[in-house]
Amino acid sequence: MAVEVILRDDVPNLGRIGEVVRVKPGYARNYLLPRGLAIEANSKNLRVLEHQKRIIAAKAEKDRKDAEGHAKRLEGLELHVQARVGEEGRLFGSVTNLDVERLLAAKGIQLAEPIKQVGTYPVPVQLGRDVRATVQVVVEAQETETA
């Protein structure tokens, strides 16, 4: 005889938050319920769960639309970085996520590896859960001062 519970947290090998799962009564009574990992799946709790899912879905949709708007503004943007350069266009140091992030004043920058040479590089920007934009980062030689 199994009982149904609503998970309030992710439980490894059982399910994710918000899922209704069937477990043995002893597992629910002795482990899930006392630790606050689940609540009983009665009609009242199921109605509350459905209401919360609708609220979360509406908020996620709004966030996605906002992120898509930001992505449209960022797409095709070109950022210029000046850095000290040595022989063969090789940089002293590198251009990292932090450098690009400072230029954008945003979060979600994902450089696969730091940029170490002069040139133009496409950089993906994570703006939301499923929304990405690509900006071009142009690394140029820094003008040296002659005294």
Side-chain angles (χ1 to χ4, degrees):
M1 180 79 178
V3 296
E4 287 189 340
V5 294
I6 302 169
L7 296 178
R8 296 179 70 198
D9 204 352
D10 292 343
V11 179
N13 301 321
L14 185 59
R16 299 183 54 84
I17 189 168
E19 288 183 354
V20 177
V21 295
R22 296 178 66 83
V23 297
K24 292 184 178 181
Y27 184 56
R29 182 178 58 246
N30 296 325
Y31 182 75
L32 295 174
L33 297 175
R35 287 177 172 77
L37 297 174
I39 57 173
E40 183 183 348
N42 58 28
S43 61
K44 177 186 174 221
N45 289 341
L46 288 172
R47 278 194 310 273
V48 170
L49 174 67
E50 290 304 316
H51 177 69
Q52 288 175 342
K53 280 184 178 180
R54 284 191 299 272
I55 291 171
I56 290 169
K59 183 182 181 308
E61 181 64 22
K62 181 185 176 298
D63 290 345
R64 187 185 60 77
K65 285 183 180 179
D66 289 346
E68 285 176 351
H70 290 304
K72 285 180 184 173
R73 286 194 297 274
L74 285 179
E75 198 67 46
L77 180 67
E78 192 171 280
L79 302 172
H80 292 268
V81 177
Q82 291 190 346
R84 291 186 33 205
V85 178
E87 295 177 16
E88 299 175 11
R90 193 131 172 93
L91 299 182
F92 291 116
S94 59
V95 177
T96 64
N97 288 349
L98 292 176
D99 298 322
V100 177
E101 188 171 353
R102 284 187 201 119
L103 291 171
L104 284 175
K107 295 183 180 178
I109 309 306
Q110 295 179 342
L111 282 179
E113 55 188 54
I115 299 170
K116 296 190 177 196
Q117 288 203 290
V118 173
T120 302
Y121 301 89
V123 176
V125 180
Q126 188 75 35
L127 296 169
R129 199 171 185 171
D130 300 326
V131 181
R132 297 181 109 185
T134 302
V135 297
Q136 298 295 321
V137 176
V138 179
V139 180
E140 303 166 334
Q142 188 176 37
E143 306 257 338
T144 58
E145 296 179 15
T146 55

